[in-house]
Coordinates of all heavy atoms in Angstrom, one line a residue:
M1 N 7.6 -20.4 -20.5 CA 6.9 -20.5 -19.3 C 5.5 -20.0 -19.4 O 5.2 -19.0 -20.0 CB 7.7 -19.7 -18.2 CG 7.1 -19.8 -16.9 SD 8.0 -18.9 -15.7 CE 7.3 -19.7 -14.2
E2 N 4.5 -20.8 -19.0 CA 3.1 -20.4 -19.0 C 2.8 -19.4 -18.0 O 3.3 -19.5 -16.8 CB 2.2 -21.6 -18.9 CG 2.4 -22.6 -20.0 CD 1.5 -23.8 -19.8 OE1 0.6 -23.9 -18.9 OE2 1.6 -24.8 -20.6
T3 N 2.0 -18.4 -18.3 CA 1.6 -17.5 -17.2 C 0.4 -18.0 -16.5 O -0.5 -18.8 -17.0 CB 1.2 -16.1 -17.9 OG1 0.2 -16.3 -18.9 CG2 2.5 -15.5 -18.5
K4 N 0.2 -17.7 -15.2 CA -0.7 -18.2 -14.4 C -1.6 -17.1 -13.7 O -1.2 -16.0 -13.7 CB -0.1 -19.0 -13.2 CG 0.9 -20.1 -13.6 CD 0.0 -21.4 -14.1 CE 1.0 -22.5 -14.3 NZ 0.2 -23.6 -14.8
V5 N -2.8 -17.5 -13.3 CA -3.6 -16.6 -12.5 C -4.1 -17.4 -11.3 O -4.1 -18.6 -11.3 CB -4.9 -16.1 -13.2 CG1 -4.4 -15.2 -14.4 CG2 -5.7 -17.3 -13.7
I6 N -4.4 -16.7 -10.2 CA -4.9 -17.3 -9.0 C -6.4 -17.0 -9.0 O -6.8 -15.8 -9.0 CB -4.2 -16.8 -7.8 CG1 -2.7 -17.1 -7.8 CG2 -4.9 -17.4 -6.5 CD1 -1.9 -16.5 -6.7
K7 N -7.2 -18.0 -9.0 CA -8.7 -17.8 -8.9 C -9.2 -18.1 -7.5 O -8.9 -19.1 -7.0 CB -9.5 -18.6 -9.9 CG -9.3 -18.2 -11.3 CD -10.3 -18.8 -12.2 CE -10.2 -18.2 -13.6 NZ -11.2 -18.6 -14.4
I8 N -9.8 -17.1 -6.9 CA -10.3 -17.2 -5.5 C -11.9 -17.2 -5.6 O -12.4 -16.2 -6.0 CB -9.8 -16.0 -4.6 CG1 -8.3 -15.9 -4.6 CG2 -10.4 -16.1 -3.2 CD1 -7.7 -14.7 -4.1
T9 N -12.4 -18.3 -5.2 CA -13.9 -18.4 -5.2 C -14.5 -18.3 -3.8 O -14.1 -19.2 -3.0 CB -14.3 -19.7 -5.9 OG1 -13.7 -19.8 -7.2 CG2 -15.8 -19.8 -6.1
H10 N -15.2 -17.3 -3.6 CA -15.8 -17.0 -2.2 C -17.2 -16.9 -2.4 O -17.7 -16.6 -3.5 CB -15.1 -15.8 -1.6 CG -15.4 -15.5 -0.3 ND1 -16.4 -14.6 0.1 CD2 -14.9 -16.0 0.9 CE1 -16.4 -14.5 1.4 NE2 -15.6 -15.3 1.9
V11 N -18.0 -16.9 -1.3 CA -19.5 -16.7 -1.4 C -19.8 -15.4 -1.9 O -20.9 -15.1 -2.5 CB -20.2 -17.0 -0.1 CG1 -20.1 -18.5 0.3 CG2 -19.6 -16.1 1.0
T12 N -18.9 -14.4 -1.8 CA -19.1 -13.1 -2.3 C -18.8 -12.8 -3.7 O -19.1 -11.8 -4.3 CB -18.4 -12.0 -1.5 OG1 -16.9 -12.3 -1.6 CG2 -18.8 -12.1 0.0
G13 N -18.1 -13.9 -4.4 CA -17.8 -13.8 -5.8 C -16.5 -14.4 -6.1 O -15.9 -15.0 -5.2
T14 N -16.1 -14.3 -7.3 CA -14.9 -14.9 -7.8 C -13.9 -13.8 -8.1 O -14.2 -12.8 -8.8 CB -15.1 -15.8 -9.1 OG1 -16.1 -16.8 -8.7 CG2 -13.8 -16.4 -9.6
Y15 N -12.7 -13.9 -7.5 CA -11.7 -12.9 -7.7 C -10.5 -13.6 -8.5 O -10.2 -14.7 -8.3 CB -11.2 -12.4 -6.3 CG -12.4 -11.9 -5.5 CD1 -12.9 -12.8 -4.6 CD2 -12.9 -10.6 -5.7 CE1 -14.0 -12.3 -3.8 CE2 -14.0 -10.2 -4.9 CZ -14.5 -11.1 -4.0 OH -15.6 -10.7 -3.2
T16 N -9.8 -12.8 -9.3 CA -8.7 -13.3 -10.1 C -7.5 -12.4 -9.8 O -7.6 -11.1 -10.0 CB -9.0 -13.3 -11.6 OG1 -10.2 -14.0 -11.8 CG2 -7.9 -13.8 -12.4
I17 N -6.4 -13.0 -9.5 CA -5.2 -12.3 -9.3 C -4.3 -12.7 -10.4 O -3.9 -13.9 -10.6 CB -4.5 -12.6 -7.9 CG1 -5.4 -12.3 -6.8 CG2 -3.2 -11.9 -7.8 CD1 -4.8 -12.8 -5.5
E18 N -3.8 -11.7 -11.2 CA -2.9 -11.9 -12.3 C -1.5 -12.1 -11.6 O -1.0 -11.2 -10.9 CB -2.9 -10.7 -13.3 CG -4.2 -10.5 -13.9 CD -4.5 -11.5 -15.1 OE1 -3.6 -12.0 -15.7 OE2 -5.7 -11.7 -15.2
V19 N -0.8 -13.2 -12.0 CA 0.5 -13.4 -11.5 C 1.5 -13.0 -12.5 O 1.6 -13.5 -13.6 CB 0.7 -14.8 -11.1 CG1 2.1 -15.1 -10.5 CG2 -0.3 -15.4 -10.1
A20 N 2.4 -12.1 -12.2 CA 3.4 -11.6 -13.1 C 4.4 -12.8 -13.4 O 4.6 -13.6 -12.5 CB 4.2 -10.4 -12.5
E21 N 5.0 -12.8 -14.6 CA 5.9 -13.9 -14.9 C 7.1 -13.9 -13.9 O 7.6 -12.9 -13.6 CB 6.4 -13.7 -16.3 CG 7.1 -14.9 -16.9 CD 7.3 -14.9 -18.4 OE1 6.3 -14.3 -19.0 OE2 8.2 -15.5 -18.9
G22 N 7.3 -15.1 -13.4 CA 8.5 -15.3 -12.5 C 8.1 -15.0 -11.1 O 8.9 -15.1 -10.2
K23 N 6.8 -14.6 -10.8 CA 6.4 -14.3 -9.5 C 5.5 -15.3 -8.8 O 4.9 -15.1 -7.7 CB 5.7 -12.9 -9.4 CG 6.6 -11.8 -9.9 CD 7.5 -11.4 -8.8 CE 8.3 -10.2 -9.3 NZ 9.2 -9.7 -8.2
L24 N 5.4 -16.5 -9.4 CA 4.4 -17.5 -8.9 C 4.8 -18.0 -7.5 O 4.0 -18.1 -6.7 CB 4.3 -18.7 -9.9 CG 3.2 -19.7 -9.5 CD1 1.8 -19.1 -9.3 CD2 3.2 -20.8 -10.5
N25 N 6.1 -18.3 -7.3 CA 6.5 -18.8 -6.0 C 6.3 -17.8 -5.0 O 5.9 -18.1 -3.8 CB 8.0 -19.3 -6.1 CG 8.1 -20.6 -6.8 OD1 7.2 -21.3 -6.9 ND2 9.3 -20.7 -7.4
E26 N 6.6 -16.5 -5.3 CA 6.3 -15.4 -4.3 C 4.9 -15.4 -3.9 O 4.5 -15.2 -2.7 CB 6.8 -14.1 -4.9 CG 6.6 -12.9 -3.9 CD 7.0 -11.6 -4.6 OE1 7.9 -11.5 -5.4 OE2 6.3 -10.5 -4.2
M27 N 4.0 -15.5 -4.9 CA 2.5 -15.5 -4.6 C 2.1 -16.7 -3.7 O 1.3 -16.5 -2.9 CB 1.7 -15.4 -5.9 CG 1.8 -14.1 -6.6 SD 1.3 -12.6 -5.6 CE -0.4 -13.1 -5.3
K28 N 2.6 -17.9 -4.0 CA 2.3 -19.0 -3.2 C 2.8 -18.8 -1.8 O 2.1 -19.2 -0.9 CB 3.1 -20.3 -3.9 CG 2.4 -20.8 -5.1 CD 3.2 -22.0 -5.6 CE 2.7 -22.6 -6.9 NZ 3.5 -23.8 -7.3
T29 N 4.0 -18.2 -1.6 CA 4.5 -18.0 -0.2 C 3.5 -17.0 0.4 O 3.2 -17.2 1.7 CB 5.9 -17.4 -0.4 OG1 6.7 -18.3 -1.0 CG2 6.4 -17.1 1.1
Q30 N 3.1 -16.0 -0.2 CA 2.1 -15.0 0.4 C 0.9 -15.7 0.7 O 0.2 -15.5 1.9 CB 1.9 -13.8 -0.5 CG 3.0 -12.9 -0.6 CD 2.7 -11.5 -1.1 OE1 1.6 -11.0 -0.9 NE2 3.6 -11.0 -2.0
L31 N 0.3 -16.5 -0.1 CA -0.9 -17.3 0.2 C -0.7 -18.2 1.4 O -1.6 -18.2 2.3 CB -1.3 -18.2 -1.0 CG -2.0 -17.5 -2.2 CD1 -2.1 -18.5 -3.3 CD2 -3.4 -17.0 -1.8
D32 N 0.4 -18.9 1.5 CA 0.7 -19.8 2.6 C 0.7 -19.0 3.9 O 0.2 -19.4 4.9 CB 2.0 -20.5 2.4 CG 1.9 -21.7 1.4 OD1 0.7 -22.1 1.1 OD2 2.9 -22.1 0.9
K33 N 1.4 -17.8 3.9 CA 1.5 -17.0 5.1 C 0.1 -16.5 5.5 O -0.2 -16.5 6.7 CB 2.4 -15.8 4.7 CG 3.9 -16.2 4.8 CD 4.7 -14.9 4.5 CE 6.2 -15.2 4.6 NZ 7.0 -14.0 4.4
C34 N -0.7 -16.1 4.6 CA -2.1 -15.7 5.0 C -2.9 -16.9 5.6 O -3.6 -16.7 6.5 CB -2.8 -15.1 3.7 SG -2.3 -13.5 3.2
L35 N -2.8 -18.0 5.0 CA -3.5 -19.2 5.5 C -3.0 -19.7 6.8 O -3.7 -20.3 7.6 CB -3.5 -20.3 4.4 CG -4.2 -19.9 3.1 CD1 -3.9 -21.1 2.1 CD2 -5.6 -19.7 3.3
N36 N -1.8 -19.3 7.1 CA -1.2 -19.8 8.4 C -1.1 -18.6 9.5 O -0.3 -18.7 10.4 CB 0.3 -20.3 8.2 CG 0.2 -21.6 7.5 OD1 -0.6 -22.4 7.7 ND2 1.2 -21.8 6.5
D37 N -1.9 -17.6 9.3 CA -1.9 -16.4 10.2 C -0.6 -15.7 10.4 O -0.3 -15.2 11.5 CB -2.5 -16.8 11.5 CG -4.0 -17.2 11.4 OD1 -4.7 -16.6 10.7 OD2 -4.5 -18.1 12.2
E38 N 0.3 -15.8 9.4 CA 1.5 -15.1 9.5 C 1.5 -13.7 8.8 O 2.4 -12.9 8.9 CB 2.7 -15.9 8.9 CG 2.9 -17.2 9.6 CD 3.8 -18.1 8.9 OE1 4.6 -17.7 8.0 OE2 3.8 -19.3 9.2
Q39 N 0.5 -13.5 7.9 CA 0.3 -12.2 7.2 C -1.2 -11.9 7.1 O -2.0 -12.8 7.0 CB 0.9 -12.5 5.8 CG 0.8 -11.3 4.8 CD 1.6 -11.6 3.5 OE1 2.6 -12.3 3.5 NE2 1.1 -11.2 2.4
G40 N -1.5 -10.7 7.2 CA -2.9 -10.3 7.3 C -3.6 -10.2 6.1 O -4.9 -10.3 6.0
A41 N -2.9 -10.0 5.0 CA -3.6 -9.8 3.6 C -2.5 -9.9 2.5 O -1.4 -9.7 2.7 CB -4.4 -8.5 3.5
I42 N -3.1 -10.1 1.3 CA -2.2 -9.9 0.1 C -2.7 -8.6 -0.5 O -3.9 -8.4 -0.7 CB -2.4 -11.1 -0.8 CG1 -1.9 -12.4 -0.2 CG2 -1.7 -10.8 -2.2 CD1 -2.1 -13.6 -1.1
V43 N -1.7 -7.7 -0.8 CA -2.0 -6.5 -1.4 C -1.3 -6.4 -2.8 O -0.1 -6.7 -3.0 CB -1.5 -5.3 -0.6 CG1 -1.7 -3.9 -1.3 CG2 -2.0 -5.3 0.8
I44 N -2.2 -6.2 -3.9 CA -1.7 -6.2 -5.2 C -1.8 -4.8 -5.8 O -2.9 -4.2 -5.7 CB -2.5 -7.2 -6.1 CG1 -2.5 -8.7 -5.5 CG2 -2.0 -7.2 -7.6 CD1 -1.1 -9.2 -5.5
K45 N -0.7 -4.3 -6.3 CA -0.8 -3.0 -6.9 C -1.1 -3.2 -8.4 O -0.3 -3.8 -9.1 CB 0.5 -2.2 -6.7 CG 0.7 -1.9 -5.2 CD 1.9 -1.0 -5.1 CE 2.1 -0.7 -3.6 NZ 3.2 0.2 -3.2
G46 N -2.2 -2.6 -8.9 CA -2.6 -2.7 -10.2 C -2.1 -1.5 -11.0 O -1.3 -0.6 -10.5
E47 N -2.4 -1.5 -12.3 CA -2.0 -0.5 -13.2 C -2.7 0.9 -12.8 O -3.9 0.8 -12.4 CB -2.3 -0.8 -14.6 CG -1.5 -2.0 -15.2 CD -2.0 -2.4 -16.5 OE1 -2.6 -1.6 -17.3 OE2 -1.6 -3.5 -17.0
G48 N -2.1 2.0 -12.9 CA -2.7 3.2 -12.6 C -2.7 3.5 -11.1 O -3.4 4.4 -10.6
G49 N -2.0 2.7 -10.4 CA -1.8 3.0 -8.9 C -2.9 2.4 -8.0 O -3.0 2.6 -6.9
D50 N -3.8 1.6 -8.6 CA -4.9 1.0 -7.9 C -4.3 -0.1 -7.0 O -3.3 -0.7 -7.3 CB -5.9 0.3 -8.8 CG -6.7 1.3 -9.6 OD1 -6.7 2.5 -9.2 OD2 -7.2 1.0 -10.6
Q51 N -5.0 -0.3 -5.8 CA -4.5 -1.4 -4.9 C -5.7 -2.3 -4.7 O -6.8 -1.9 -4.4 CB -4.0 -0.8 -3.5 CG -2.7 -0.2 -3.6 CD -2.2 0.1 -2.2 OE1 -2.9 0.0 -1.2 NE2 -0.9 0.4 -2.1
F52 N -5.4 -3.6 -4.7 CA -6.4 -4.6 -4.4 C -6.0 -5.4 -3.1 O -4.8 -5.9 -3.1 CB -6.6 -5.5 -5.6 CG -7.0 -4.8 -6.9 CD1 -6.0 -4.4 -7.8 CD2 -8.3 -4.5 -7.1 CE1 -6.4 -3.7 -8.9 CE2 -8.7 -3.8 -8.3 CZ -7.7 -3.4 -9.2
V53 N -6.8 -5.5 -2.2 CA -6.5 -6.1 -0.9 C -7.3 -7.4 -0.8 O -8.5 -7.3 -0.9 CB -6.7 -5.1 0.3 CG1 -6.4 -5.8 1.6 CG2 -5.9 -3.9 0.2
Y54 N -6.6 -8.5 -0.5 CA -7.3 -9.8 -0.3 C -7.0 -10.2 1.1 O -5.9 -10.7 1.3 CB -6.8 -10.8 -1.3 CG -7.0 -10.4 -2.8 CD1 -6.1 -9.7 -3.5 CD2 -8.2 -10.6 -3.4 CE1 -6.3 -9.3 -4.8 CE2 -8.5 -10.2 -4.7 CZ -7.5 -9.5 -5.4 OH -7.7 -9.1 -6.7
P55 N -7.9 -9.9 2.1 CA -7.7 -10.2 3.4 C -7.5 -11.8 3.7 O -8.0 -12.6 3.0 CB -8.9 -9.7 4.2 CG -9.6 -8.8 3.2 CD -9.2 -9.3 1.9
A56 N -6.7 -12.1 4.7 CA -6.5 -13.5 5.1 C -7.8 -14.2 5.4 O -8.0 -15.3 5.0 CB -5.6 -13.6 6.2
D57 N -8.8 -13.6 6.0 CA -10.1 -14.2 6.4 C -10.8 -14.6 5.0 O -11.4 -15.5 5.0 CB -10.9 -13.2 7.3 CG -10.4 -13.2 8.7 OD1 -9.6 -14.1 9.1 OD2 -10.7 -12.2 9.3
L58 N -10.7 -13.7 4.1 CA -11.4 -14.0 2.8 C -10.7 -15.2 2.2 O -11.4 -16.1 1.7 CB -11.3 -12.9 1.8 CG -11.8 -13.1 0.4 CD1 -13.1 -12.4 0.2 CD2 -10.8 -12.8 -0.6
L59 N -9.4 -15.3 2.2 CA -8.7 -16.4 1.6 C -8.9 -17.7 2.4 O -9.1 -18.8 1.7 CB -7.2 -16.1 1.6 CG -6.8 -14.9 0.7 CD1 -5.3 -14.5 0.9 CD2 -7.0 -15.1 -0.7
K60 N -9.0 -17.7 3.6 CA -9.3 -18.9 4.5 C -10.6 -19.5 4.2 O -10.8 -20.7 4.3 CB -9.1 -18.6 5.9 CG -7.8 -18.3 6.4 CD -7.8 -17.9 7.9 CE -6.4 -17.4 8.3 NZ -6.5 -17.0 9.7
N61 N -11.6 -18.7 3.8 CA -12.9 -19.2 3.5 C -13.3 -19.2 2.0 O -14.4 -19.0 1.6 CB -13.9 -18.2 4.2 CG -13.8 -18.2 5.7 OD1 -13.9 -19.3 6.3 ND2 -13.5 -17.1 6.3
S62 N -12.2 -19.5 1.3 CA -12.4 -19.6 -0.2 C -11.8 -20.8 -0.8 O -11.0 -21.5 -0.1 CB -11.6 -18.4 -0.8 OG -12.2 -17.2 -0.4
F63 N -12.2 -21.1 -2.0 CA -11.5 -22.1 -2.8 C -10.5 -21.4 -3.7 O -10.9 -20.5 -4.4 CB -12.6 -22.9 -3.7 CG -11.9 -23.9 -4.6 CD1 -11.5 -25.1 -4.1 CD2 -11.7 -23.7 -5.9 CE1 -10.9 -26.0 -4.9 CE2 -11.2 -24.6 -6.8 CZ -10.7 -25.8 -6.3
I64 N -9.3 -21.8 -3.5 CA -8.2 -21.1 -4.3 C -7.6 -22.1 -5.3 O -7.2 -23.2 -5.0 CB -7.1 -20.7 -3.3 CG1 -7.7 -19.7 -2.3 CG2 -6.0 -20.0 -4.1 CD1 -6.8 -19.4 -1.2
A65 N -7.5 -21.6 -6.5 CA -6.9 -22.5 -7.6 C -5.9 -21.6 -8.4 O -6.1 -20.5 -8.7 CB -8.0 -23.0 -8.6
I66 N -4.8 -22.3 -8.7 CA -3.8 -21.6 -9.6 C -3.9 -22.4 -10.9 O -3.7 -23.5 -11.1 CB -2.4 -21.7 -9.1 CG1 -2.3 -21.1 -7.6 CG2 -1.3 -21.3 -10.0 CD1 -1.0 -21.3 -7.0
V67 N -4.3 -21.5 -11.9 CA -4.6 -22.1 -13.3 C -3.9 -21.3 -14.4 O -3.4 -20.2 -14.1 CB -6.1 -22.0 -13.6 CG1 -6.9 -22.9 -12.6 CG2 -6.7 -20.6 -13.5
D68 N -3.8 -21.8 -15.6 CA -3.2 -21.1 -16.7 C -4.1 -20.0 -17.1 O -5.3 -20.1 -17.0 CB -3.1 -22.1 -17.9 CG -2.1 -23.2 -17.7 OD1 -1.2 -23.0 -16.9 OD2 -2.2 -24.3 -18.2
R69 N -3.5 -18.9 -17.5 CA -4.2 -17.8 -18.0 C -5.0 -18.1 -19.3 O -4.4 -18.8 -20.2 CB -3.2 -16.6 -18.3 CG -4.0 -15.3 -18.7 CD -3.0 -14.1 -18.8 NE -2.4 -13.8 -17.5 CZ -1.4 -13.2 -17.2 NH1 -0.6 -12.8 -18.2 NH2 -1.0 -12.9 -16.0
E70 N -6.2 -17.7 -19.3 CA -7.1 -18.1 -20.4 C -6.9 -17.0 -21.6 O -6.6 -16.0 -21.4 CB -8.6 -18.1 -20.1 CG -8.7 -19.2 -19.0 CD -10.2 -19.1 -18.5 OE1 -11.0 -18.2 -18.9 OE2 -10.6 -20.0 -17.7

């Protein structure tokens, strides 16, 4: 199975979300919920306890692509 990343291109920059193997469908569901006003943001916990928050408003005003990890 190929590993994927989600690339979010917004006027403020390009953001990349690393998708853990087997979690692609879960991430798609979270994206759909954000785009449909059912969820306020996607929160990703990084290594070392860091948290990255991608608000729904940012996602709605972005170009989102799911691509193979380079």
